[in-house]
Amino acid sequence: MAVESFINWGLLALEPPGWGGVLLHGLLNSIQIAIGGYAFGLMLGVGGAFGKLYGGPILRDLMECYTTIVRAVPELVLILLLYYAGTDALNHVLGLIGIGTIDISGLAAGIFVIGVVQGAYSTEVLRGAIKAVPSGQIEAARAYGMSPVKVMTRVTLPAMLPYAIPGLSNLWLIATKDTALLAVVGFFELALATRQAAGVTKAYFTFYVAAGALYLMLSLFSNLILGRIEAWSRRGMPSVKEAR
């Protein structure tokens, strides 16, 4: 049976009564949250990885607790906890210091929630990548009199990239899908837009197939960009075939 008999293409039009524009708006929000959350998580990951490897005992224990808890608790539970309890805790602290409560936007809250989750996984990915850097390179940089900051920016970070990119690429794809979990807290992204459109029109197959196609296109485009980034990070290094 033809696919056209199941999909109502008129409902996917960009202008009303079609819902295509609504789905694209939800996709744009999903991409914004994914980019913001991924960037925030990457910053947490860099700090967490260096804290675990080079921090004092207290800092290492704190980073270990952070990564263990976040990776152990289901992401949906973490999102509910951070979204509601986190905003309430922030407003409570602001109230204690006399600032008063503030209305936190759903976009900012979503970025924070996704970033905290991504940060725990990024910490472990980056920690493993840093440990994969040959110790002789770092020792040589120190022997030349480089400061710890220069050793990190000029030696450690560039050398670890080829080892970190595959894991970080997977985390980006996970971040794009984790945005769908924010639908449970009412943030308007692609999953919630799809659910609303399907609920109003009862054309569930049409809209969920369309949403799946949009997620797939986002993943394929991401893979293209990430592949180029990985090739750039491995410039000057022998390929797998050459290594054999």
mmCIF file of all heavy atoms in Angstrom, residues 65-83:
data_model
loop_
_atom_site.group_PDB
_atom_site.id
_atom_site.type_symbol
_atom_site.label_atom_id
_atom_site.label_comp_id
_atom_site.label_asym_id
_atom_site.label_seq_id
_atom_site.Cartn_x
_atom_site.Cartn_y
_atom_site.Cartn_z
ATOM 1 N N CYS A 65 31.408 12.301 42.612
ATOM 2 C CA CYS A 65 29.998 12.253 43.024
ATOM 3 C C CYS A 65 29.096 12.783 41.919
ATOM 4 O O CYS A 65 28.039 12.205 41.631
ATOM 5 C CB CYS A 65 29.804 13.063 44.308
ATOM 6 S SG CYS A 65 30.545 12.330 45.779
ATOM 7 N N TYR A 66 29.511 13.880 41.301
ATOM 8 C CA TYR A 66 28.720 14.486 40.231
ATOM 9 C C TYR A 66 28.521 13.522 39.069
ATOM 10 O O TYR A 66 27.395 13.285 38.617
ATOM 11 C CB TYR A 66 29.414 15.772 39.779
ATOM 12 C CG TYR A 66 28.952 16.321 38.451
ATOM 13 C CD1 TYR A 66 27.614 16.646 38.226
ATOM 14 C CD2 TYR A 66 29.860 16.525 37.406
ATOM 15 C CE1 TYR A 66 27.194 17.160 37.005
ATOM 16 C CE2 TYR A 66 29.453 17.032 36.194
ATOM 17 C CZ TYR A 66 28.120 17.347 35.995
ATOM 18 O OH TYR A 66 27.718 17.849 34.789
ATOM 19 N N THR A 67 29.601 12.954 38.568
ATOM 20 C CA THR A 67 29.489 12.071 37.415
ATOM 21 C C THR A 67 28.762 10.780 37.754
ATOM 22 O O THR A 67 28.000 10.257 36.934
ATOM 23 C CB THR A 67 30.884 11.749 36.849
ATOM 24 O OG1 THR A 67 31.706 11.185 37.885
ATOM 25 C CG2 THR A 67 31.556 13.004 36.313
ATOM 26 N N THR A 68 28.967 10.274 38.954
ATOM 27 C CA THR A 68 28.316 9.017 39.344
ATOM 28 C C THR A 68 26.807 9.196 39.475
ATOM 29 O O THR A 68 26.022 8.390 38.959
ATOM 30 C CB THR A 68 28.889 8.501 40.667
ATOM 31 O OG1 THR A 68 30.297 8.263 40.519
ATOM 32 C CG2 THR A 68 28.199 7.201 41.079
ATOM 33 N N ILE A 69 26.393 10.266 40.137
ATOM 34 C CA ILE A 69 24.956 10.495 40.352
ATOM 35 C C ILE A 69 24.241 10.750 39.037
ATOM 36 O O ILE A 69 23.195 10.168 38.756
ATOM 37 C CB ILE A 69 24.747 11.670 41.327
ATOM 38 C CG1 ILE A 69 25.231 11.287 42.735
ATOM 39 C CG2 ILE A 69 23.277 12.076 41.375
ATOM 40 C CD1 ILE A 69 25.212 12.442 43.717
ATOM 41 N N VAL A 70 24.812 11.627 38.207
ATOM 42 C CA VAL A 70 24.147 11.984 36.956
ATOM 43 C C VAL A 70 24.057 10.785 36.026
ATOM 44 O O VAL A 70 23.032 10.563 35.363
ATOM 45 C CB VAL A 70 24.880 13.152 36.271
ATOM 46 C CG1 VAL A 70 24.328 13.397 34.870
ATOM 47 C CG2 VAL A 70 24.739 14.419 37.104
ATOM 48 N N ARG A 71 25.097 9.968 35.978
ATOM 49 C CA ARG A 71 25.070 8.811 35.083
ATOM 50 C C ARG A 71 24.231 7.666 35.628
ATOM 51 O O ARG A 71 23.818 6.785 34.863
ATOM 52 C CB ARG A 71 26.495 8.327 34.811
ATOM 53 C CG ARG A 71 27.307 9.292 33.958
ATOM 54 C CD ARG A 71 28.657 8.720 33.584
ATOM 55 N NE ARG A 71 29.465 8.476 34.782
ATOM 56 C CZ ARG A 71 30.476 7.615 34.820
ATOM 57 N NH1 ARG A 71 30.789 6.909 33.748
ATOM 58 N NH2 ARG A 71 31.166 7.462 35.928
ATOM 59 N N ALA A 72 23.980 7.677 36.934
ATOM 60 C CA ALA A 72 23.200 6.588 37.532
ATOM 61 C C ALA A 72 21.698 6.849 37.493
ATOM 62 O O ALA A 72 20.907 5.918 37.319
ATOM 63 C CB ALA A 72 23.649 6.366 38.981
ATOM 64 N N VAL A 73 21.302 8.111 37.654
ATOM 65 C CA VAL A 73 19.876 8.454 37.708
ATOM 66 C C VAL A 73 19.348 8.603 36.286
ATOM 67 O O VAL A 73 20.003 9.220 35.439
ATOM 68 C CB VAL A 73 19.668 9.767 38.495
ATOM 69 C CG1 VAL A 73 18.191 10.146 38.524
ATOM 70 C CG2 VAL A 73 20.207 9.616 39.911
ATOM 71 N N PRO A 74 18.170 8.044 35.976
ATOM 72 C CA PRO A 74 17.594 8.206 34.632
ATOM 73 C C PRO A 74 17.460 9.675 34.250
ATOM 74 O O PRO A 74 17.150 10.528 35.089
ATOM 75 C CB PRO A 74 16.214 7.537 34.766
ATOM 76 C CG PRO A 74 16.385 6.548 35.862
ATOM 77 C CD PRO A 74 17.348 7.171 36.827
ATOM 78 N N GLU A 75 17.700 9.964 32.986
ATOM 79 C CA GLU A 75 17.723 11.354 32.528
ATOM 80 C C GLU A 75 16.373 12.034 32.702
ATOM 81 O O GLU A 75 16.316 13.233 32.987
ATOM 82 C CB GLU A 75 18.162 11.405 31.068
ATOM 83 C CG GLU A 75 19.607 10.983 30.877
ATOM 84 C CD GLU A 75 20.040 11.026 29.430
ATOM 85 O OE1 GLU A 75 19.207 11.397 28.580
ATOM 86 O OE2 GLU A 75 21.204 10.702 29.144
ATOM 87 N N LEU A 76 15.292 11.295 32.530
ATOM 88 C CA LEU A 76 13.970 11.897 32.704
ATOM 89 C C LEU A 76 13.780 12.357 34.148
ATOM 90 O O LEU A 76 13.241 13.448 34.398
ATOM 91 C CB LEU A 76 12.882 10.895 32.319
ATOM 92 C CG LEU A 76 11.437 11.396 32.449
ATOM 93 C CD1 LEU A 76 11.222 12.634 31.584
ATOM 94 C CD2 LEU A 76 10.455 10.300 32.057
ATOM 95 N N VAL A 77 14.231 11.551 35.100
ATOM 96 C CA VAL A 77 14.126 11.933 36.510
ATOM 97 C C VAL A 77 14.995 13.152 36.788
ATOM 98 O O VAL A 77 14.585 14.080 37.505
ATOM 99 C CB VAL A 77 14.540 10.755 37.418
ATOM 100 C CG1 VAL A 77 14.524 11.164 38.890
ATOM 101 C CG2 VAL A 77 13.615 9.566 37.197
ATOM 102 N N LEU A 78 16.198 13.178 36.228
ATOM 103 C CA LEU A 78 17.076 14.329 36.419
ATOM 104 C C LEU A 78 16.466 15.599 35.848
ATOM 105 O O LEU A 78 16.558 16.673 36.452
ATOM 106 C CB LEU A 78 18.430 14.069 35.759
ATOM 107 C CG LEU A 78 19.432 13.227 36.533
ATOM 108 C CD1 LEU A 78 20.640 12.933 35.658
ATOM 109 C CD2 LEU A 78 19.864 13.936 37.809
ATOM 110 N N ILE A 79 15.852 15.490 34.691
ATOM 111 C CA ILE A 79 15.240 16.658 34.071
ATOM 112 C C ILE A 79 14.114 17.199 34.938
ATOM 113 O O ILE A 79 14.005 18.411 35.163
ATOM 114 C CB ILE A 79 14.740 16.303 32.655
ATOM 115 C CG1 ILE A 79 15.937 16.188 31.709
ATOM 116 C CG2 ILE A 79 13.756 17.340 32.136
ATOM 117 C CD1 ILE A 79 15.591 15.713 30.324
ATOM 118 N N LEU A 80 13.271 16.316 35.434
ATOM 119 C CA LEU A 80 12.185 16.756 36.307
ATOM 120 C C LEU A 80 12.734 17.387 37.583
ATOM 121 O O LEU A 80 12.241 18.418 38.055
ATOM 122 C CB LEU A 80 11.282 15.573 36.655
ATOM 123 C CG LEU A 80 10.445 15.011 35.492
ATOM 124 C CD1 LEU A 80 9.767 13.718 35.914
ATOM 125 C CD2 LEU A 80 9.412 16.017 35.037
ATOM 126 N N LEU A 81 13.768 16.767 38.145
ATOM 127 C CA LEU A 81 14.350 17.273 39.389
ATOM 128 C C LEU A 81 15.009 18.632 39.183
ATOM 129 O O LEU A 81 14.755 19.585 39.934
ATOM 130 C CB LEU A 81 15.368 16.267 39.922
ATOM 131 C CG LEU A 81 16.088 16.644 41.224
ATOM 132 C CD1 LEU A 81 15.089 16.739 42.370
ATOM 133 C CD2 LEU A 81 17.173 15.618 41.550
ATOM 134 N N LEU A 82 15.847 18.741 38.155
ATOM 135 C CA LEU A 82 16.574 19.985 37.934
ATOM 136 C C LEU A 82 15.653 21.096 37.450
ATOM 137 O O LEU A 82 15.832 22.258 37.823
ATOM 138 C CB LEU A 82 17.692 19.756 36.913
ATOM 139 C CG LEU A 82 18.845 18.859 37.368
ATOM 140 C CD1 LEU A 82 19.783 18.571 36.200
ATOM 141 C CD2 LEU A 82 19.610 19.500 38.512
ATOM 142 N N TYR A 83 14.670 20.749 36.626
ATOM 143 C CA TYR A 83 13.793 21.770 36.057
ATOM 144 C C TYR A 83 12.929 22.410 37.137
ATOM 145 O O TYR A 83 12.832 23.642 37.215
ATOM 146 C CB TYR A 83 12.919 21.146 34.978
ATOM 147 C CG TYR A 83 12.197 22.167 34.123
ATOM 148 C CD1 TYR A 83 12.790 22.656 32.968
ATOM 149 C CD2 TYR A 83 10.935 22.645 34.465
ATOM 150 C CE1 TYR A 83 12.144 23.582 32.168
ATOM 151 C CE2 TYR A 83 10.287 23.571 33.670
ATOM 152 C CZ TYR A 83 10.893 24.039 32.527
ATOM 153 O OH TYR A 83 10.248 24.965 31.748
#
